[in-house]
Amino acid sequence: MAEPKENLQMEKVVSLCKRRGFIFQSSEIYGGINGFWDYGPLGAELKRNVKELWWQAMTRQRDDVAGLEATIIMSPKIWKASGHVDTFADLMRECPLTKKRVRADQVEPQSGKALYFLGAIGDSNFGIPATDNQFTDFGQKAIEEYVLKDKPSSLEQISISKLTAYVEELIKPSNTNDTPEQLANKAQIIATGTINRLCKQPITVLAPNGKPQESAVKKAVEFYSEILKVKNPIPLFWQIKQAENSVDFHPESGVLLNEARPFNLMLQTYVGPIQSEENIAYLRPETAQAIFAQFKNVLETSRQKVPFGIAQVGKAFRNEVTPRNFTFRSREFEQMELEFFIKPDEVIEAIHGNIAAPTPNSQLLSPEPNWGWQAWHKYWVEERVRFYEGIGLSRETLGFHHQTPAELAHYARACTDILFKFPFSKKDENGNVAGDELEGIAARSDFDLSQHARFSGKPMGVFDDELRVAWAKLPVAKQKDLLMRYQENRLNYHVKTGVPFDQAAKQATDDANGLAKGQYIPHVIEPSAGVDRLILALIANAYTEVTKTDDKGKSETTVVMKFHPRVAPVKVGVMPLLKNKPELVNKALAVRDLLRPWMNVFYDDGGSIGRRYARQDEAGTPFCVTIDFDTLGEKPELLDTVTIRYRDDGKQERLKISELLPFLLSKIR
Ligand code: GAP
């Protein structure tokens, strides 16, 4: 997979976002803060529209979903139960020189010459301080004669084998009149003296193809002096090896990365005045867990019955190690999550006798009572794609990634990621773009509710009278078969979460016996989308350059943001033809006030009408309404009509003011 070298399209999108007030860098006047972004006037409107449309589609337009708005900080026990405290970590590798971390699976391959250094000799002693004068003299001499006489620009001069040869030469009997005892003593002193100035920490640095090897020596010197505080270090070069497409070197420093270590992504704080271990709390890394924790309360107060869902939109925080691609991977972001609770397949089978088996071509448009988890999962993937299509992301701009068994969490049965082809998305060797994750739709079994039941000690199961009645009518063989399957699944859950086998077997039997009484723990399908990623996808998708050439052959390229009217930040621009004609202005203000309660209107009376249209095109406003002299009745038959201009093709037509509101509403809803 190759990343486009220079991503011009992305640069243009980022620049437009700042220029037009969609997205700004957070704390920009202080140099910014990595991984945090602010939404400007147009961005804030766009974001509101997207969240509102999601909320409409996922809750208000449905009978089977209720909403929730929970706190960002919750009991830390929630994150213990969910597994985030123990396992919500990325495997990271750190550069020993710059301390910068990269995700172990995201290191770019590099080729070049890898220079290995075994350590460094410095001006002052390490370890045991030298007390003996002679000792110091000899050590000093060895260093001076061997290394300090030349600048260590040539690797040859600082090779450790040369140093060894030098020491050996110095203590050869033929080169001295020393007695054997004196000689042995001297050899010891030289070796120890050198060792006392020797920092034994190795480092390997890559001189990438096209860069001189000295660049690597410089990094090694920096490492020994800055990090290990060796005074005037002379790195001891050992060997050089060719590296081909190696993913072991930091992309910026070229230094060999440390071993991968897990790094927890939750941001933590303290609740209360005492900053102690027991007061640690976390900023939620996902909105989902509050839904599980409040499952029983919502169930009891909303008059919902399984299958039903709980939806939530809100902030989430992750201390991402490498925030990147503009807002795509941020440290503070928003999620739109639905936890849709369904009956386990065994329950469906007990009640309905069979489970609907979706084929790849099944059109799952409206839920059926005999849907098992596979049908529900497929339905939600399709439903979410329909949502994206409805706000302007065509199927061609999307992609899918079906997680492999190796990628799936141990409790998940399936997970389909909906991808969007971002300008930064990588191309494969055939030039095809798969895209990057916009939303994940996971079938998470009964793991989450089971975990909260175990950690809180509160039951999370439901009672289903339909199941109890149906169960009693089942043939014994069928009951046995269903019990065995349910029991096996529950046993898997208990064992995988660390319960000793005997205990797990007993709990699984108890769980299965609950079925006969109409009790079970619901399973869940989770469509989980990122607001910020969707905003970025919408902006990238809308960005269009239009080049026009005038009669004199002069070309001008302008940007038109072709947002779907449903998400467009401003729905309509209202403009009097001239701003110095009070009759036109008053009429235009009246039109603005007519539309304002229903949509976001931008009133603009500055500059030529062409300039005003261009400004609205760049903001992505789908319609502009102009009030001219015909509106005032210059041509009597056109009295109280306006010109409506369409952003995408620049076409204009006249419409009665009385028709304007219903027309616009039909387009933006
Ligand atoms: N509850 C499941 C969950 O949180 P996830 O795949 O980690 O799953 C869901 O996150 C969605 O949240 C992603 O598909 C993405 O759109 C968004 N998201 C996750 N991490 C993000 C980040 N660092 N910056 C922006 N959006 C992020």
Side-chain angles (χ1 to χ4, degrees):
M1 287 276 202
E3 195 152 12
K5 272 209 171 71
E6 36 176 350
N7 203 324
L8 251 182
Q9 184 71 3
M10 199 56 207
E11 277 173 27
K12 287 176 180 173
V13 166
V14 174
S15 140
L16 174 105
C17 281
K18 179 170 162 63
R19 181 159 47 84
R20 284 313 312 252
F22 282 97
I23 301 172
F24 305 128
Q25 195 182 17
S26 163
S27 325
E28 194 190 89
I29 57 167
Y30 291 102
I33 168 165
N34 202 4
F36 296 85
W37 300 95
D38 293 340
Y39 288 81
L42 290 177
E45 289 291 341
L46 181 61
K47 212 174 181 197
R48 258 171 198 273
N49 293 344
V50 164
K51 289 191 283 183
E52 181 63 25
L53 284 162
W54 185 92
W55 191 258
Q56 282 287 344
M58 302 297 263
T59 64
R60 292 190 186 156
Q61 303 286 330
R62 306 184 61 103
D63 292 328
D64 56 1
V65 177
L68 179 73
E69 179 121 2
T71 56
I72 285 170
I73 293 178
M74 299 183 283
S75 164
K77 289 178 188 158
I78 286 187
W79 306 112
K80 190 77 192 154
S82 68
H84 283 80
V85 170
D86 298 323
T87 60
F88 190 54
D90 275 347
L91 275 182
M92 303 301 306
R93 298 183 73 181
E94 192 179 76
C95 165
L97 170 63
T98 59
K99 305 291 172 203
K100 285 189 181 170
R101 290 176 177 152
V102 277
R103 259 175 60 173
D105 59 346
Q106 284 177 356
V107 187
E108 286 298 321
Q110 295 184 83
S111 302
K113 297 224 167 347
L115 279 69
Y116 292 69
F117 300 90
L118 293 176
I121 299 174
D123 269 3
S124 51
N125 293 334
F126 288 89
I128 327 137
T131 47
D132 183 317
N133 274 346
Q134 207 187 10
F135 175 112
T136 315
D137 286 351
F138 275 103
Q140 188 67 29
K141 197 166 165 239
I143 292 164
E144 275 169 12
E145 288 198 12
Y146 170 63
V147 275
L148 295 184
K149 64 176 192 251
D150 290 312
K151 294 258 174 289
S153 56
S154 132
L155 292 173
E156 275 297 284
Q157 287 170 4
I158 54 171
S159 115
I160 197 151
S161 55
K162 276 230 153 187
L163 175 64
T164 314
Y166 169 82
V167 173
E168 277 168 8
E169 191 61 30
L170 211 66
I171 58 171
K172 259 190 191 157
S174 54
N175 290 344
T176 170
N177 296 323
D178 291 349
T179 64
E181 291 78 36
Q182 282 171 321
L183 210 59
N185 196 18
K186 211 176 197 179
Q188 163 101 37
I189 288 164
I190 291 170
T192 328
T194 309
I195 285 164
N196 252 7
R197 289 169 165 72
L198 184 66
C199 164
K200 286 189 192 162
Q201 184 71 41
I203 187 173
T204 303
V205 190
L206 186 80
N209 287 342
K211 266 198 166 182
Q213 292 176 12
E214 277 62 39
S215 66
V217 179
K218 267 193 188 160
K219 290 285 172 201
V221 170
E222 214 178 306
F223 171 70
Y224 289 112
S225 60
E226 308 281 316
I227 306 298
L228 298 180
K229 306 292 175 209
V230 179
K231 216 169 147 202
N232 297 328
I234 312 299
L236 295 171
F237 172 69
W238 174 47
Q239 62 170 348
I240 198 160
K241 276 190 181 170
Q242 184 64 30
E244 289 300 339
N245 290 325
S246 168
V247 288
D248 288 327
F249 296 92
H250 195 279
E252 288 164 17
S253 66
V255 177
L256 183 74
L257 294 158
N258 288 341
E259 285 300 304
R261 286 215 322 250
F263 173 80
N264 195 294
L265 299 183
M266 281 198 294
L267 280 154
Q268 66 181 47
T269 184
Y270 297 94
V271 170
I274 302 164
Q275 299 203 350
S276 61
E277 188 76 2
E278 62 270 24
N279 287 340
I280 287 180
Y282 303 98
L283 305 192
R284 66 182 178 200
E286 61 172 24
T287 59
Q289 291 306 320
I291 296 179
F292 297 121
Q294 293 290 8
F295 168 72
K296 272 300 179 90
N297 277 336
V298 176
L299 180 70
E300 278 154 24
T301 55
S302 64
R303 297 178 55 83
Q304 292 284 355
K305 269 176 30 189
V306 179
F308 82 103
I310 305 177
Q312 179 167 220
V313 178
K315 290 269 187 184
F317 301 81
R318 296 182 189 177
N319 199 5
E320 297 285 0
V321 186
T322 38
R324 64 195 178 113
N325 288 331
F326 200 23
T327 57
F328 181 83
R329 191 178 301 287
S330 309
R331 289 181 165 137
E332 176 175 338
F333 55 99
E334 271 185 279
Q335 289 186 315
M336 305 183 286
E337 295 199 292
L338 170 71
E339 302 305 323
F340 196 82
F341 300 96
I342 56 173
K343 296 173 187 176
D345 279 6
E346 295 79 14
V347 173
I348 298 288
E349 218 175 310
I351 298 173
H352 301 285
N354 67 354
I355 298 174
T359 65
N361 297 327
S362 315
Q363 285 277 315
L364 301 174
L365 287 170
S366 56
E368 297 291 340
N370 68 341
W371 279 8
W373 74 265
Q374 282 172 313
W376 275 112
H377 183 247
K378 188 166 170 13
Y379 163 80
W380 275 114
V381 173
E382 280 300 309
E383 192 66 4
R384 297 300 303 138
V385 172
R386 288 190 279 270
F387 173 80
Y388 289 124
E389 285 181 308
I391 56 172
L393 300 182
S394 66
R395 272 184 196 244
E396 296 73 62
T397 66
L398 303 176
F400 297 95
H401 172 66
H402 305 286
Q403 289 191 11
T404 60
E407 290 173 296
L408 284 177
H410 69 81
Y411 48 80
R413 288 176 157 179
C415 185
T416 300
D417 294 335
I418 300 180
L419 317 175
F420 175 78
K421 294 170 188 163
F422 288 97
F424 52 76
S425 295
K426 289 176 183 168
K427 283 190 179 138
D428 67 13
E429 44 292 343
N430 302 321
N432 299 321
V433 181
D436 286 273
E437 182 185 329
L438 201 55
E439 165 160 0
I441 296 124
R444 295 176 63 96
S445 72
D446 54 7
F447 174 79
D448 302 275
L449 288 181
S450 302
Q451 283 291 96
H452 288 297
R454 171 182 298 172
F455 278 74
S456 68
K458 307 274 176 357
M460 286 288 170
V462 295
F463 168 72
D464 187 332
D465 202 41
E466 207 183 354
L467 168 64
R468 190 188 58 81
V469 173
W471 191 268
K473 295 181 190 158
L474 286 177
V476 174
K478 186 76 187 168
Q479 287 181 343
K480 260 192 172 166
D481 170 41
L482 293 175
L483 276 182
M484 261 174 58
R485 277 152 52 192
Y486 192 76
Q487 191 172 1
E488 196 181 318
N489 287 336
R490 295 298 297 162
L491 183 65
N492 258 340
Y493 158 72
H494 291 303
V495 169
K496 282 193 174 154
T497 49
V499 178
F501 189 81
D502 287 352
Q503 213 178 318
K506 183 178 175 325
Q507 283 180 14
T509 311
D510 290 348
D511 295 339
N513 288 337
L515 271 191
K517 298 176 201 144
Q519 288 160 354
Y520 61 87
I521 296 189
H523 285 225
V524 74
I525 306 290
E526 177 195 64
S528 168
V531 181
D532 309 77
R533 284 193 189 173
L534 178 51
I535 298 294
L536 188 55
L538 290 168
I539 290 176
N541 186 61
Y543 187 95
T544 316
E545 286 179 351
V546 178
T547 303
K548 284 187 192 142
T549 309
D550 66 16
D551 305 342
K552 293 173 197 140
K554 201 177 145 214
S555 297
E556 195 194 9
T557 302
T558 55
V559 173
V560 180
M561 293 298 285
K562 294 190 172 176
F563 291 119
H564 191 289
R566 290 197 185 106
V567 294
V570 179
K571 306 297 183 198
V572 58
V574 173
M575 311 166 176
L577 187 63
L578 299 169
K579 78 169 176 186
N580 54 3
K581 294 280 173 218
E583 318 87 280
L584 288 176
V585 168
N586 289 340
K587 196 74 181 171
L589 289 172
V591 171
R592 178 199 67 182
D593 293 345
L594 168 80
L595 302 176
R596 224 178 205 180
W598 303 93
M599 64 194 76
N600 192 22
V601 184
F602 192 86
Y603 179 82
D604 191 0
D605 61 8
S608 76
I609 200 78
R611 279 268 137 245
R612 282 183 266 169
Y613 285 156
R615 275 203 294 269
Q616 290 310 311
D617 285 349
E618 222 182 27
T621 307
F623 310 102
C624 282
V625 165
T626 306
I627 286 81
D628 56 20
F629 292 104
D630 287 338
T631 316
L632 303 179
E634 201 168 86
K635 285 196 194 106
E637 69 278 17
L638 295 181
L639 178 70
D640 279 339
T641 63
V642 290
T643 309
I644 182 158
R645 174 192 177 265
Y646 302 98
R647 173 198 64 199
D648 294 349
D649 56 12
K651 289 204 174 114
Q652 301 187 12
E653 58 186 347
R654 284 201 88 84
L655 215 64
K656 286 184 186 150
I657 290 176
S658 58
E659 288 167 356
L660 200 52
L661 181 60
F663 171 79
L664 290 173
L665 287 179
S666 73
K667 297 287 178 194
I668 65 172
R669 281 186 168 167

